[in-house]
Amino acid sequence: KNQVEQSPQSLIILEGKNCTLQCNYTVSPFSNLRWYKQDTGRGPVSLTIMTFSENTKSNGRYTATLDADTKQSSLHITASQLSDSASYICVVAEPSGAGSYQLTFGKGTKLSVIP
Amino acid sequence: DAGVTQSPTHLIKTRGQQVTLRCSPKSGHDTVSWYQQALGQGPQFIFQYYEEEERQRGNFPDRFSGHQFPNYSSELNVNALLLGDSALYLCASSLAIGQVQETQYFGPGTRLLVL
């Protein structure tokens, strides 16, 4: 069964500090990997999308990396802010025929940024 | 642009009842996907609609059905509700099925509680 595993499950950091979230996946074949931010009680918001040929992609203070050989990805958050407190979900897309694809979601890492 | 909207925001039902959830996609989007997100879990794919037809389906029973209208809005119907159906139901819209890099935009979700 294709899976997406994220670690840590939860994380508490001080405002202004950096942190790195991890994602390991077994999804194959693989189209792309996405990171989403989900605030409590809200829908996920896309941060980055990377294909297997991309190693890194940035979106402001968020930088995602991808190693398609080891099937690992990370999301690095720089100079954290209180508003970064949310769940961060790793999502892997696999082709499912007819030019379409299916998304497999990880359970997310719950990040809490404290003053 | 109102983005993806969902209604109602919250709903309480009892076991055995039926429920209909509604979703309006982001302006210009033609593809709608539905997800179920249990507390503390990542979203699970239910099905996807494109051109008023179900194009893909996840591992959900036939109690879960849907519909897409000519204006691209969509409904999710769940029959014979079970306690385990209590979850946040997310709708996501996207443009041009088959575009591997396209971003799905999520709505705020409908929180369903089955008693």
Side-chain angles (χ1 to χ4, degrees):
Chain A
K1 179 182 177 182
N2 287 330
Q3 288 189 322
V4 178
E5 301 288 340
Q6 292 187 243
S7 62
Q9 185 175 359
S10 62
L11 184 62
I12 301 174
I13 62 173
L14 291 174
E15 184 180 11
K17 297 296 186 182
N18 304 334
C19 67
T20 300
L21 314 180
Q22 300 291 341
C23 173
N24 296 333
Y25 62 92
T26 61
V27 175
S28 182
F30 162 88
S31 287
N32 60 68
L33 186 144
R34 307 153 181 234
W35 283 93
Y36 281 85
K37 177 186 179 185
Q38 184 175 23
D39 292 314
T40 302
R42 294 177 174 262
V45 174
S46 178
L47 296 175
T48 62
I49 298 177
M50 291 182 292
T51 65
F52 60 85
S53 62
E54 296 177 290
N55 299 118
T56 185
K57 182 161 282 189
S58 292
N59 178 1
R61 295 180 297 102
Y62 301 103
T63 299
T65 64
L66 173 63
D67 186 334
D69 292 330
T70 61
K71 296 187 176 180
Q72 295 179 326
S73 177
S74 65
L75 179 69
H76 186 74
I77 304 175
T78 304
S80 62
Q81 299 175 359
L82 298 179
S83 59
D84 292 333
S85 296
S87 286
Y88 291 84
I89 304 175
C90 175
V91 185
V92 179
E94 62 175 308
S96 57
S100 187
Y101 58 91
Q102 186 155 329
L103 302 181
T104 301
F105 288 72
K107 293 183 179 181
T109 292
K110 186 173 176 60
L111 174 66
S112 298
V113 181
I114 59 175
Chain B
D1 182 5
V4 180
T5 60
Q6 292 186 244
S7 63
T9 56
H10 296 80
L11 201 53
I12 300 175
K13 291 284 188 178
T14 57
R15 281 178 297 174
Q17 285 189 311
Q18 178 265 345
V19 68
T20 297
L21 311 181
R22 297 176 176 80
C23 170
S24 291
K26 181 178 171 65
S27 178
H29 283 185
D30 55 11
T31 303
V32 173
S33 303
W34 285 93
Y35 297 86
Q36 180 194 67
Q37 186 175 24
L39 202 60
Q41 304 292 315
Q44 298 290 318
F45 175 71
I46 303 175
F47 42 54
Q48 183 179 74
Y49 276 84
Y50 172 66
E51 291 188 340
E52 302 179 50
E53 290 189 359
E54 182 183 292
R55 291 296 296 265
Q56 295 184 74
R57 189 178 183 91
N59 189 26
F60 278 80
D62 292 343
R63 298 187 297 109
F64 290 78
S65 63
H67 189 77
Q68 186 179 35
F69 299 93
N71 67 353
Y72 306 119
S73 66
S74 177
E75 288 182 349
L76 164 65
N77 300 293
V78 186
N79 294 321
L81 284 167
L82 304 175
L83 297 179
D85 295 332
S86 296
L88 180 68
Y89 287 85
L90 295 165
C91 167
S93 74
S94 55
L95 176 64
I97 189 171
Q99 295 294 323
V100 68
Q101 285 275 59
E102 113 281 359
T103 298
Q104 284 194 335
Y105 290 83
F106 284 83
T110 293
R111 174 73 64 186
L112 172 65
L113 177 62
V114 182
L115 301 176

